[in-house]
Amino acid sequence: MQFSELGLRAAMLDAVAELGYKEPTPIQERAIPLLLEGRDVIGSAQTGTGKTAAFALPILTRLGPHGPGPRCLVLEPTRELAFQTHESFLKFARFTQLRCGLVYGGVGYGKQREDLANGVDVLVATPGRLLDHMGEKAVKLNMVKFLILDEADRMLDMGFLPDVKRIVEQTPRDRQTALFSATIPPAIETLITWAMNNPETVAIGARRSPAETVKHVLYPVAEAQKMDLLLALLEAIHWESVIVFCRTKRGADEVEQSLKRAKHRAAVIHSDRSQKEREQALEGFKKGSYEVLVATDVASRGLDIADVSHVINYDVPQHPEDYVHRIGRTGRAQATGDAFTLYTAGDAQAVFAVERFITQKIERLKLEGFPYNYTALFDEDKLGPLHERRVKGVKMGGGYYIGGSRRKR
Ligand code: AMP
């Protein structure tokens, strides 16, 4: 089966070709024609099966030109999923005039209000923040023709079903609805009966999601030992290709120099390097003549590098979204990857922001045999209120692990 046989508009075929998708995944093959026909669809499928494209491509096809909206509403249980789904919509809508907006909690209202006022065709949202905007009359849902309830079982787990119902009630009854859920517990059955019209079920076998296959680890370390720990990690773990992320251009240059002194074949990319230098670094890394690529966030956006075995955050990213972008380089296509983050005492706030964003507490590890200087992070559980807060039911702080690194190459 080819994408061109599914009945999608030309702009979608161009977008998937540009993304390098060769053929539709099973859920895309089955769900796209149903959604194009106007049917309600239940997809019992997880992240990692290509489900985002399975609903985004037919909806973007049916939306036609830009118009008043939002005409498509996508509800997501977490900020991370909302962010990722919005990114996917932007990619798929690239060759159209359609506008896609994103609202989620934990950030300011201003920019979101502005986007809503400017008009969006597609709105990706988490329930709580969307209700806030609705309460302020910053958005109305009376034009919604397409409603996607994504990861419905996680909405249930997180206690969002009442919010979801309040939102659904504000959308027109003659809308088309699709619901995705890895499992269909009784509460979701009830939601289906209430919110959907004669739905067709598309069940796709479980596959691990890219996010789940990535192993996230924090390595607490004293500021002065960061470089030594990076070198020790590169000695201690099995890796094939690594991207090391740094916060600043200068920091990236310094890390590259230190890696070279330690006889690693390293290259660096950041915005002060010429286009030619960046291309040369990237090509060399892809071909394998460099084994470590040092990069800043700005330079790494949109880089076409799939399947690196490890991402190491030499510096904790300032924005939690950048963490997701960075680790998006590993664990692609169901390969497993590791994302290591060096964590110094000054990073506590930023680490907490990342953990909240990905709704996951990240494991703390110590590298066995490394001559650690003491840092207060080794007693993180005694550090006070910041670390006692909860990440969606996961107790913060404490939980320290020693060892766990892989054997030497
Ligand atoms: P999802 O299940 O929507 O989170 O998608 C998982 C990953 O598969 C994403 O990185 C997509 O870009 C990728 N993907 C989705 N559809 C295809 C396809 N037809 N061919 C190759 N990759 C795909």
Side-chain angles (χ1 to χ4, degrees):
M1 176 70 92
Q2 300 292 313
F3 275 108
S4 56
E5 296 169 60
L6 292 171
L8 296 167
R9 70 196 268 195
M12 296 301 113
L13 300 181
D14 293 345
V16 295
E18 179 151 299
L19 287 166
Y21 297 1
K22 298 275 178 301
E23 52 191 35
T25 66
I27 191 165
Q28 289 162 2
E29 222 175 283
R30 298 193 44 212
I32 289 173
L34 289 167
L35 289 169
L36 285 174
E37 261 173 46
R39 292 289 306 272
D40 279 7
V41 170
I42 302 169
S44 59
Q46 291 182 332
T47 307
T49 52
K51 76 175 158 69
T52 315
F55 60 80
L57 298 174
I59 288 172
L60 291 169
T61 295
R62 294 195 60 203
L63 281 173
H66 169 63
R71 288 177 292 150
C72 170
L73 174 65
V74 183
L75 289 183
E76 296 284 348
T78 67
R79 298 167 193 177
E80 183 194 15
L81 281 166
F83 178 82
Q84 284 178 343
T85 302
H86 176 250
E87 296 262 296
S88 300
F89 265 95
L90 292 181
K91 287 181 193 149
F92 299 140
R94 220 186 123 185
F95 301 110
T96 74
Q97 301 301 316
L98 294 166
R99 296 194 201 150
C100 306
L102 169 66
V103 304
Y104 60 71
V107 292
Y109 283 76
K111 162 97 172 42
Q112 298 181 359
R113 265 190 219 123
E114 222 171 88
D115 289 349
L116 292 171
N118 287 337
V120 294
D121 297 284
V122 177
L123 181 61
V124 182
T126 52
R129 177 57 67 96
L130 178 60
L131 283 167
D132 288 351
H133 284 296
M134 288 162 65
E136 287 188 346
K137 309 238 181 309
V139 62
K140 277 169 85 179
L141 303 182
N142 60 342
M143 319 235 355
V144 169
K145 289 199 157 20
F146 305 99
L147 173 68
I148 309 292
L149 304 174
D150 198 16
E151 308 254 339
D153 46 359
R154 284 184 73 187
M155 300 266 201
L156 170 71
D157 291 346
M158 295 171 68
F160 288 158
L161 278 200
D163 285 353
V164 170
K165 285 189 182 157
R166 281 174 59 204
I167 292 166
V168 175
E169 274 166 357
Q170 300 298 313
T171 64
R173 276 179 174 256
D174 63 357
R175 66 176 190 264
Q176 186 179 355
T177 309
L179 176 143
F180 292 84
S181 199
T183 58
I184 312 279
I188 300 296
E189 291 269 14
T190 312
L191 177 69
I192 288 170
T193 315
W194 175 75
M196 300 183 80
N197 176 22
N198 187 26
E200 179 86 26
T201 301
V202 176
I204 300 297
R207 238 162 90 176
R208 288 177 306 164
S209 76
E212 280 163 18
T213 58
V214 176
K215 187 169 153 53
H216 307 248
V217 180
L218 290 173
Y219 281 97
V221 64
E223 183 71 40
Q225 286 193 301
K226 279 175 91 173
M227 193 62 224
D228 290 340
L229 183 61
L230 174 64
L231 293 173
L233 278 170
L234 291 174
E235 279 301 308
I237 58 178
H238 268 293
W239 51 275
E240 280 135 35
S241 53
V242 189
I243 301 188
V244 177
F245 283 102
C246 296
R247 195 172 295 156
T248 64
K249 297 169 211 168
R250 213 173 127 214
D253 282 334
E254 282 168 13
V255 169
E256 186 218 12
Q257 292 307 318
S258 303
L259 288 171
K260 281 185 169 161
R261 276 196 297 275
K263 303 278 177 274
H264 286 291
R265 286 176 286 125
V268 66
I269 45 169
H270 57 60
S271 52
D272 278 356
R273 302 233 122 192
S274 69
Q275 183 64 19
K276 196 156 170 261
E277 285 170 323
R278 281 190 263 174
E279 273 166 24
Q280 189 259 342
L282 200 57
E283 278 315 302
F285 183 66
K286 283 189 190 166
K287 281 198 311 235
S289 28
Y290 299 118
E291 48 181 17
V292 187
L293 186 65
V294 185
T296 55
D297 285 306
V298 180
S300 77
R301 296 239 169 182
L303 276 191
D304 172 28
I305 308 171
D307 298 330
V308 297
S309 68
H310 289 74
V311 164
I312 300 182
N313 296 312
Y314 187 76
D315 299 307
V316 179
Q318 295 293 75
H319 306 287
E321 295 89 345
D322 287 330
Y323 184 83
V324 177
H325 273 296
R326 290 176 179 189
I327 65 162
R329 309 269 151 227
T330 178
R332 291 252 165 125
Q334 281 69 49
T336 52
D338 288 342
F340 296 160
T341 301
L342 304 193
Y343 174 22
T344 64
D347 299 323
Q349 199 80 39
V351 163
F352 180 61
V354 168
E355 289 183 318
R356 280 213 321 165
F357 191 75
I358 65 173
T359 54
Q360 193 178 323
K361 180 174 155 62
I362 308 174
E363 191 180 356
R364 275 75 170 151
L365 280 187
K366 263 185 170 179
L367 180 66
E368 228 164 31
F370 183 75
Y372 278 103
N373 292 348
Y374 178 79
T375 150
L377 291 174
F378 297 153
D379 294 314
E380 205 182 349
D381 45 344
K382 298 179 199 141
L383 281 184
L386 179 66
H387 297 270
E388 280 157 18
R389 286 198 236 163
R390 287 170 176 266
V391 175
K392 296 286 172 214
V394 184
K395 179 92 168 69
M396 301 288 296
Y400 214 89
Y401 308 88
I402 303 220
S405 62
R406 305 214 201 132
R407 236 170 256 133
K408 211 170 149 78
R409 269 185 295 169

